[in-house]
Amino acid sequence: MMNIDMRTRKSPMQKLDGRTKLIALSVIFVLVLLFSHPAYILALLGVVMVIWWSAKLPLQTIKDLFKYFLVIAVIILVVQIFFYPGQTELIRLSNPVPAIGFSGFITLEGILFGVAMVLRLVVIMIVAPLMVLTTPLPELMLALVKLKIPYRFAFIMTTALSLLPSIQSHAAIIQQAQLCRGITYDTAGKFFTKLRASVALLVPLILGSFRDSQTLEIAMSSRAFGAPVKRTFLLDSQFSKIDYLILAVTIAILVTGIVLRILGFGVY
Amino acid sequence: MDDHPPAIHCQQLDFVYPNGVQALSSVNLVIEPGEYIAFVGQNGSGKTSLVKHFNGLLKPTRGSVRIFGEDSSDKKVSYLSRKVGYVFQNPDDMLFCTSVQEEIAYGPRLLGMDHTEINQKVEHILLELGLDEHRETHPFALSLGDRQRLAVACALSLDPDVFVFDEPTTGQDYFGGKSIMNLIDQLHAKDKTIVIITHDMPLVAEHAHRVVVMSGGQIAMDGSPAQVFSQPEKLHQLSLRSPQVTQLAYEMGFTEQAILGVPEMVEWLSRSYLSADTTNPGSQP
Amino acid sequence: MSTQDPSNIVPPAQPAQVRTYKARGRIFGMSIAVMSIWAAMYIAASAIPALPVPGMAGMITVNAIMTAISGMVLGPAAAIANAAGGIVSMILFPYGFSAGPLGFLTVTMGGLVAGLLFANKWVWAAVFELIIIGAWFVNPQSWQTGMWMVPLPYSAIALLVILVKPLRDWTRRSILTQHKVWMWPAVFLMCTVGHAAEFMTTNTLVNWMFNLSWQYWVPTLPYWIMVDTVVILASTIVGVGVLIGLKKARLPNYADTLEQ
């Protein structure tokens, strides 16, 4: 799990309204998909890294994340380098191999495009943690509700989150109970043994948790969930001048980005 | 000694959870084969942490646990389960098959027993635990009492010599609790070693032959029910209470030995108050 | 709001609103409590390490199994429960999602298509399935050599189950009546629909985001067929166990709301 304690650090990012961050980071996400030129994506990565730095988040988190995406990053790079239909020949490896669509040489365009796609992957993978690591979850939920996400949907997310510890301890007990019945989780490499173990975990977990749902339902009704009145919130958030400023800049960048893209810039 | 090792032997056992909570400190304990032992104590006193060492669910942080002479630290739970069966408090956590007989056959199948042997075993257990009419039933369609019997059946199918029961009567009505305790007594009668965790003191007084009181991760008291329950002040310090009948007898002045059940109480009362040849043993109410 | 007969002048003994609480606590017939619990399990499952399939991290996950069976357990509400669980797990464990912030879409689609089909809203199920398959082919990338084969296993099968009436009816009936034998292949088909919707959405998103060419998709196809078959088989075993258990223990499940 990501280290949530980091959110307690003070940084300009924490002071921003949840909505501002959500919108700004969504815009980065849209822009990184909009452009495919390595220079443009590199610029976006630069912006994300500046935000990461200003939020005082450790670089180690990015390294940890990247571990999980190393394989897909390598696949992306290799496929693009070898098979991108480029013109500028850099290294000739062999004669053309039509069966696999390989032209026989590595092109500058292929390398640049591969790099662009890997950079895109990096930006995509660190945008979401950037939001989460700088915003306490209640604030994030409030931001979502204020952005007109249906309250009941936000309620499901927050309730799920508060149920998580009890579900996890239930799952741990079930795993222990299964061990006592002779299941082994630790036989490394035995694929089907592990598969069988996850079956033995899920069935009792789902059935047991659904049994608890009836209690939760009563608790919800007895606390007037769904009462036909306008809800008020304990937490409230207000836009500050900085929020407005950042939103204005964000929207300006988005519009510029879209215009550039329509004019044909930033496409590889 | 090595020819007849104790069922469970804990030496200087320390256990610290990964989050740094010390659950057990310097526990020394010997459980001989055939004992009927109850662990009592407040929540968080370490009793569950201790018994989870008996089949390797937890491994000692320091010290050692020997199970029939074998060190538990490098043994898998799946291996130790053939020696020590563990029945969880909530039977639903143990059940995941689609019929009672499949559920019982699951463990033996994992052990690689052959087909006829498994069938014989399943038949035998079904009859022994009175589950034979439910053989095709889905485990979740059984009553709580029967689900608990089935959980015992699953442990039994691995043929262990020791049975650990975590709060076997919690959530059961009177007859449900009675029936599961009868089953446990039956297992004990067949020379199985019985370990139970419970908060139910009358149950301890009625069934167990030895009581271990846990407190703060250590063994605070260890002895027969009569020995332990005859020290109400000490129990009180540990936030525990003897069975009401024991307390009553104590309050009435019978302090030399704990009264453990109603029949004994009646016997004592009739001896003290109704027969002519004894003097008044305590203060009159 | 009140469903009282206007001619009824005498106020009822109990206030009418009491009922509306419960009604508002439900979406597509499933209670919000159940959906929250499903989402919580989904998040918990994200913390369980994926089975290491050689080649790519995190593909046979407990989440994949949950997504595949969600439609049969929760009906169309599965889409909402999966989305909620998916969004929160993406926040807590971002490494499980190769499609980045859009990753929750994949599990939403898995629950949605299978849930709609199970609810017999097959037209809608077909619409979303066609959107998923269509989104693959809208990308010019997908017109390269052999890339038309990628949606065949199993989205084509899913589409057949949705569109062919006898097959569809038989699948639903076998699951609803919990037929001793036919329930197994029926649950397999239903898991196929759920899982196919999930991974085809993933494929499409990945294809749009990273422009992987046919040299990646086509040679790895047999490998993915194998992986997905294993996921669907595992889901079938879990699904049958869960569905029978829910019915036997009289716990909330979507099939009950269909019978009412």
Side-chain angles (χ1 to χ4, degrees):
Chain A
M1 198 192 290
M2 311 245 7
N3 191 352
I4 300 173
D5 297 342
M6 285 189 279
R7 286 190 305 242
T8 52
R9 296 187 187 185
K10 284 276 159 273
S11 78
M13 269 297 272
Q14 264 112 327
K15 294 199 191 93
L16 288 181
D17 190 280
R19 285 170 284 179
T20 313
K21 284 186 266 189
L22 213 55
I23 293 169
L25 295 174
S26 307
V27 166
I28 293 179
F29 181 65
V30 169
L31 289 175
V32 82
L33 291 181
L34 213 52
F35 295 118
S36 52
H37 196 283
Y40 283 72
I41 297 180
L42 196 61
L44 278 168
L45 182 63
V47 171
V48 173
M49 291 312 292
V50 167
I51 301 174
W52 191 276
W53 170 79
S54 75
K56 298 188 177 123
L57 297 173
L59 281 175
Q60 187 61 40
T61 312
I62 296 181
K63 287 185 193 158
D64 290 346
L65 271 172
F66 201 70
K67 248 185 354 217
Y68 293 96
F69 292 106
L70 198 59
V71 176
I72 192 169
V74 169
I75 291 175
I76 290 172
L77 199 60
V78 168
V79 168
Q80 304 300 359
I81 286 179
F82 282 93
F83 302 115
Y84 188 83
Q87 303 302 322
T88 322
E89 180 180 330
L90 283 185
I91 310 162
R92 175 159 286 277
L93 290 177
S94 66
N95 292 325
V97 190
I100 58 162
F102 180 50
S103 58
F105 50 87
I106 290 173
T107 63
L108 178 66
E109 289 84 357
I111 291 174
L112 285 178
F113 191 71
V115 168
M117 290 301 109
V118 171
L119 290 177
R120 178 185 274 182
L121 177 73
V122 174
V123 173
I124 288 172
M125 290 314 158
I126 61 180
V127 155
L130 195 51
M131 175 78 208
V132 179
L133 294 175
T134 57
T135 320
L137 264 161
E139 262 180 50
L140 184 60
M141 294 300 160
L142 182 67
L144 289 172
V145 173
K146 290 218 162 189
L147 285 170
K148 300 294 176 210
I149 277 196
Y151 172 71
R152 291 192 294 177
F153 187 69
F155 178 88
I156 293 173
M157 289 198 283
T158 32
T159 311
L161 203 64
S162 59
L163 290 172
L164 184 62
S166 82
I167 298 260
Q168 279 182 319
S169 68
H170 191 187
I173 290 173
I174 293 172
Q175 281 181 320
Q176 289 191 339
Q178 313 299 3
L179 284 175
C180 294
R181 295 202 45 195
I183 291 178
T184 46
Y185 285 89
D186 46 7
T187 33
K190 282 201 176 166
F191 184 76
F192 283 95
T193 316
K194 290 193 172 183
L195 204 61
R196 188 158 53 184
S198 51
V199 171
L201 168 67
L202 267 178
V203 174
L205 182 64
I206 294 175
L207 294 178
S209 306
F210 270 45
R211 196 162 264 165
D212 298 341
S213 77
Q214 284 146 326
T215 324
L216 177 63
E217 204 165 326
I218 293 166
M220 279 165 59
S221 311
S222 64
R223 291 166 71 175
F225 182 86
V229 290
K230 191 176 187 303
R231 288 185 51 86
T232 55
F233 293 92
L234 189 60
L235 269 175
D236 204 0
S237 65
Q238 224 108 58
F239 274 166
S240 66
K241 275 181 192 159
I242 299 187
D243 285 304
Y244 283 114
L245 182 68
I246 288 180
L247 273 182
V249 172
T250 307
I251 290 164
I253 291 175
L254 179 65
V255 172
T256 318
I258 292 173
V259 171
L260 281 174
R261 178 70 172 75
I262 291 169
L263 294 176
F265 291 97
V267 192
Y268 204 72
Chain B
M1 161 92 194
D2 273 336
D3 294 341
H4 301 286
I8 310 285
H9 190 178
C10 305
Q11 279 177 305
Q12 292 296 319
L13 170 60
D14 278 11
F15 182 72
V16 183
Y17 278 101
N19 61 9
V21 175
Q22 173 130 17
L24 298 171
S25 39
S26 322
V27 173
N28 288 300
L29 179 78
V30 174
I31 301 176
E32 295 294 343
E35 280 201 75
Y36 197 137
I37 179 168
F39 284 83
V40 298
Q42 280 179 280
N43 290 337
S45 60
K47 49 191 194 308
T48 304
S49 304
L50 178 57
V51 301
K52 280 189 174 166
H53 281 83
F54 295 174
N55 72 342
L57 277 176
L58 298 179
K59 309 282 186 192
T61 310
R62 274 176 295 277
S64 72
V65 177
R66 291 178 171 278
I67 296 153
F68 290 102
E70 287 187 276
D71 196 316
S72 78
S73 56
D74 55 350
K75 300 285 186 302
K76 286 175 184 164
V77 184
S78 53
Y79 170 76
L80 293 171
S81 297
R82 292 181 235 174
K83 300 177 183 298
V84 180
Y86 197 112
V87 180
F88 280 70
Q89 182 182 348
N90 183 356
D92 299 350
D93 293 340
M94 301 186 75
L95 309 177
F96 49 86
C97 297
T98 48
S99 79
V100 166
Q101 55 185 7
E102 266 178 61
E103 200 79 71
I104 300 174
Y106 189 87
R109 229 176 257 155
L110 278 187
L111 294 185
M113 281 188 201
D114 69 65
H115 198 66
T116 44
E117 205 182 344
I118 293 175
N119 282 352
Q120 280 173 358
K121 186 175 272 299
V122 170
E123 262 338 281
H124 181 75
I125 292 174
L126 281 171
L127 286 172
E128 191 177 350
L129 298 198
L131 290 167
D132 49 324
E133 56 184 304
H134 296 303
R135 63 177 68 224
E136 297 287 341
T137 312
H138 193 278
F140 273 76
L142 295 172
S143 68
L144 176 61
D146 283 339
R147 292 209 296 281
Q148 203 157 23
R149 294 183 97 79
L150 180 55
V152 177
C154 294
L156 196 60
S157 70
L158 299 172
D159 264 335
D161 294 310
V162 181
F163 281 84
V164 177
F165 292 90
D166 193 347
E167 305 203 17
T169 56
T170 303
Q172 300 260 23
D173 59 16
Y174 175 73
F175 286 106
K178 199 87 192 153
S179 134
I180 192 79
M181 289 316 296
N182 283 340
L183 177 59
I184 295 173
D185 288 351
Q186 275 173 35
L187 290 170
H188 183 244
K190 288 182 183 154
D191 293 330
K192 302 287 187 190
T193 310
I194 304 292
V195 174
I196 56 178
I197 295 180
T198 185
H199 289 289
D200 185 341
M201 297 301 162
L203 180 150
V204 174
E206 192 182 338
H207 296 271
H209 299 177
R210 179 177 168 195
V211 189
V212 172
V213 182
M214 298 287 295
S215 174
Q218 288 175 313
I219 293 177
M221 297 168 87
D222 183 352
S224 70
Q227 286 166 340
V228 169
F229 291 138
S230 63
Q231 304 174 60
E233 288 87 3
K234 192 159 184 202
L235 282 173
H236 186 76
Q237 282 169 13
L238 301 167
S239 307
L240 295 173
R241 300 174 84 178
S242 322
Q244 280 185 331
V245 61
T246 315
Q247 288 175 46
L248 180 65
Y250 190 83
E251 294 287 317
M252 287 172 71
F254 188 76
T255 50
E256 58 222 70
Q257 200 205 334
I259 294 279
L260 294 177
V262 173
E264 269 178 82
M265 180 80 179
V266 171
E267 193 196 312
W268 172 64
L269 281 175
S270 56
R271 243 190 308 133
S272 319
Y273 292 90
L274 301 177
S275 48
D277 60 339
T278 45
T279 52
N280 189 348
S283 54
Q284 291 273 7
Chain C
M1 185 198 316
S2 171
T3 53
Q4 293 290 312
D5 182 357
S7 64
N8 189 353
I9 302 162
V10 183
Q14 288 193 332
Q17 274 107 321
V18 172
R19 302 205 62 149
T20 57
Y21 285 177
K22 198 163 182 175
R24 287 176 63 106
R26 284 173 186 277
I27 303 175
F28 293 122
M30 283 318 279
S31 83
I32 290 201
V34 172
M35 291 160 71
S36 306
I37 280 175
W38 183 270
M41 283 190 285
Y42 192 93
I43 305 165
S46 313
I48 299 171
L51 286 181
V53 180
M56 197 175 276
M59 275 304 165
I60 297 191
T61 57
V62 180
N63 298 63
I65 297 177
M66 285 189 70
T67 306
I69 68 169
S70 60
M72 289 177 287
V73 176
L74 301 173
I80 295 163
N82 288 355
I87 289 176
V88 179
S89 358
M90 198 168 65
I91 287 168
L92 295 178
F93 317 101
Y95 43 79
F97 292 82
S98 47
L102 292 181
F104 77 94
L105 266 182
T106 66
V107 295
T108 308
M109 290 315 257
L112 188 64
V113 177
L116 287 169
L117 175 62
F118 194 57
N120 209 18
K121 297 184 170 113
W122 65 273
V123 178
W124 283 107
V127 167
F128 284 108
E129 186 67 42
L130 286 169
I131 289 177
I132 293 169
I133 300 174
W136 174 261
F137 286 110
V138 166
N139 191 337
Q141 193 80 10
S142 309
W143 293 87
Q144 296 178 359
T145 322
M147 272 176 69
W148 57 271
M149 287 191 288
V150 176
L152 280 188
Y154 287 97
S155 295
I157 299 173
L159 204 55
L160 276 183
V161 180
I162 295 169
L163 291 179
V164 179
K165 187 174 187 322
L167 185 59
R168 176 175 76 229
D169 290 345
W170 173 84
T171 306
R172 290 187 65 248
R173 197 174 52 241
S174 304
I175 298 175
L176 285 171
T177 57
Q178 304 207 338
H179 190 281
K180 219 169 159 41
V181 178
W182 299 128
M183 182 180 187
W184 288 87
V187 169
F188 182 88
L189 285 180
M190 200 56 106
C191 290
T192 305
V193 173
H195 185 60
E198 183 195 352
F199 76 73
M200 204 51 223
T201 310
T202 310
N203 285 349
T204 303
L205 286 173
V206 169
N207 202 24
W208 274 102
M209 285 177 170
F210 305 115
N211 288 289
L212 287 167
S213 53
W214 70 270
Q215 286 94 342
Y216 167 75
W217 292 106
V218 177
T220 53
L221 194 56
Y223 172 73
W224 290 120
I225 293 175
M226 185 198 77
V227 172
D228 292 322
T229 309
V230 173
V231 173
I232 294 171
L233 276 172
S235 311
T236 306
I237 300 170
V238 175
V240 170
V242 167
L243 289 172
I244 295 179
L246 287 175
K247 191 169 184 180
K248 296 285 182 194
R250 296 197 190 83
L251 292 170
N253 67 97
Y254 190 70
D256 288 348
T257 64
L258 284 177
E259 281 160 21
Q260 277 163 14

